[in-house]
Amino acid sequence: MKPHGDIAQQQANLIVTSTLLMLLIIVPVIFLTLYFAYRYRQSNTEATYAPDWDHSTRLELVIWGAPLLIIIALGAITWISTHKLDPFRPLDRIAEDKPLPADVKPLEVYAVSMDWKWLFIYPEQGIATVNELAAPVDRPIRFKLTSTTVMNTFYIPALAGMIYTMPGMQTELNAVINKAGVYDGMSAHYSGAGFSDMRFKFHGLTDADFAQWVQSNKAAGASLDRQAYMKLEMPSTKEPVQRFATVEAGLWSAIVDRCVDGRKMCASQMMAIDAAGGAGKGGVAATMRSPWRDLNGERRERTVVAALCTPTNLQGLPLEALPYEAQPN
């Protein structure tokens, strides 16, 4: 209830306002309940005794009118706030008394919830981190979020509300941090054995400190290509902070499309084929078994739809079987 991000502050104010409006009904009802119990107790012979009383227009207006006005007020506030605090809506201010400068470009961060860790990709800076997030103070942040296997919830209480991450889908969150510091981030949706350790630190930094943080990642990090991502995707718990100095181009799109390894058909390709009428009987057979290891290291397999024409699954085919664009000159 004491956040340091403008979106979270507005959400906290909404909770306080709604609570106070509801207390306008709750407090008098509690008070009158205790008052009537005391006033009309059996031992109080001075209280008015009216066993045949059954109606009062004035009392009915109060009983129904006051809650109705409160509900109308709550409905209006909810309607306005739902649109104003829409996580997909770009920010129009940094804080209550700070309008958004026209020349400020939002910091883009791609967030991937894994089993059981968080991967953050900075496309503008060309770096990535695991279980560590940083952003400059008073600069809008545009998060794009997805998941690898199951639903999770991206949640930094000091920054903004909870946003779900789902495999094969991209959600969005626009927020800003207004005070430098280190804040807790977590998954707030149960996702299996390592859920309780699926936490990270969010650093609110000055512009100079953020630039230094980026440079430190580039200096000490490895390269996040598709092979590195496939290893990172395997289930693990209590994963330490990792830094990547470079990120392979197109990796984020492949993550959302669920075809990082190059052997599976991308979700967008599958949807395009379905939209065109399907792949016929051949599409039914175009599946393969993909190896997978669980948290205990046990080897498992899962059925996936094979990609149609990629360098991975074209190897070994006779020349006449290759599509024209894949044949060598």
Side-chain angles (χ1 to χ4, degrees):
M1 296 304 294
K2 294 182 179 180
H4 298 290
D6 184 55
I7 296 297
Q9 184 61 60
Q10 292 183 67
Q11 293 170 336
N13 294 339
L14 178 61
I15 294 174
V16 172
T17 302
S18 302
T19 302
L20 291 176
L21 283 172
M22 290 184 286
L23 287 177
L24 291 177
I25 296 297
I26 295 173
V27 171
V29 168
I30 293 175
F31 171 77
L32 289 174
T33 300
L34 297 175
Y35 173 75
F36 281 123
Y38 175 78
R39 170 69 177 172
Y40 296 102
R41 66 192 186 280
Q42 184 177 7
S43 60
N44 185 12
T45 57
E46 295 181 358
T48 302
Y49 178 64
D52 297 326
W53 179 89
D54 62 358
H55 179 73
S56 170
T57 302
R58 184 180 301 176
L59 191 58
E60 289 285 347
L61 289 174
V62 174
I63 291 174
W64 293 103
L68 181 60
L69 292 175
I70 299 299
I71 292 173
I72 292 173
L74 286 172
I77 292 173
T78 302
W79 173 267
I80 295 171
S81 300
T82 298
H83 292 81
K84 186 177 180 181
L85 299 177
D86 181 359
F88 283 80
R89 178 180 177 178
L91 301 185
D92 55 8
R93 73 181 201 185
I94 296 175
E96 186 175 3
D97 56 346
K98 294 181 179 179
L100 182 67
D103 57 343
V104 171
K105 181 182 178 182
L107 172 69
E108 283 206 346
V109 180
Y110 301 156
V112 185
S113 58
M114 298 177 162
D115 297 332
W116 284 271
K117 49 194 168 285
W118 288 94
L119 170 66
F120 301 107
I121 300 173
Y122 291 76
E124 180 183 344
Q125 290 73 23
I127 63 171
T129 59
V130 173
N131 287 341
E132 184 178 72
L133 179 64
V137 171
D138 289 342
R139 180 179 176 182
I141 314 169
R142 179 178 294 132
F143 291 99
K144 294 182 179 180
L145 308 105
T146 191
S147 182
T148 54
T149 56
V150 299
M151 289 174 60
N152 272 287
T153 305
F154 178 78
Y155 186 33
I156 304 175
L159 182 70
M162 296 181 289
I163 301 297
Y164 275 93
T165 63
M166 291 164 279
M169 298 181 67
Q170 177 180 292
T171 50
E172 189 172 318
L173 171 65
N174 286 273
V176 63
I177 192 70
N178 300 122
K179 184 178 180 181
V182 181
Y183 307 99
D184 291 324
M186 67 193 77
S187 171
H189 183 90
Y190 182 73
S191 58
F195 160 75
S196 58
D197 296 311
M198 198 171 170
R199 296 173 175 269
F200 61 92
K201 292 298 182 182
F202 171 55
H203 300 264
L205 305 172
T206 63
D207 290 339
D209 289 340
F210 178 72
Q212 184 177 357
W213 180 82
V214 171
Q215 290 303 319
S216 65
N217 278 272
K218 289 185 176 182
S223 176
L224 182 62
D225 54 15
R226 296 191 178 218
Q227 293 299 321
Y229 177 85
M230 294 300 297
K231 294 180 181 179
L232 189 63
E233 189 184 15
M234 293 295 176
S236 62
T237 59
K238 297 182 179 180
E239 194 72 24
V241 174
Q242 298 183 40
R243 307 180 191 280
F244 298 93
T246 59
V247 179
E248 182 176 330
L251 180 60
W252 170 252
S253 298
I255 294 171
V256 177
D257 253 351
R258 299 179 62 77
C259 55
V260 176
D261 62 3
R263 297 184 302 156
K264 294 179 290 187
M265 182 187 294
C266 293
S268 59
Q269 294 174 322
M270 192 182 304
M271 289 185 283
I273 292 172
D274 291 342
K281 291 184 178 180
V284 177
T287 60
M288 65 180 183
R289 301 294 289 172
S290 178
W292 180 257
R293 291 189 183 276
D294 61 18
L295 183 61
N296 298 321
E298 297 181 6
R299 182 181 177 86
R300 300 182 182 275
E301 288 188 342
R302 52 188 177 183
T303 301
V304 298
V305 179
L308 296 181
C309 298
T310 67
T312 303
N313 63 18
L314 291 178
Q315 294 176 2
L317 291 178
L319 180 63
E320 60 272 11
L322 294 176
Y324 176 78
E325 62 271 17
Q327 296 181 7
N329 295 328

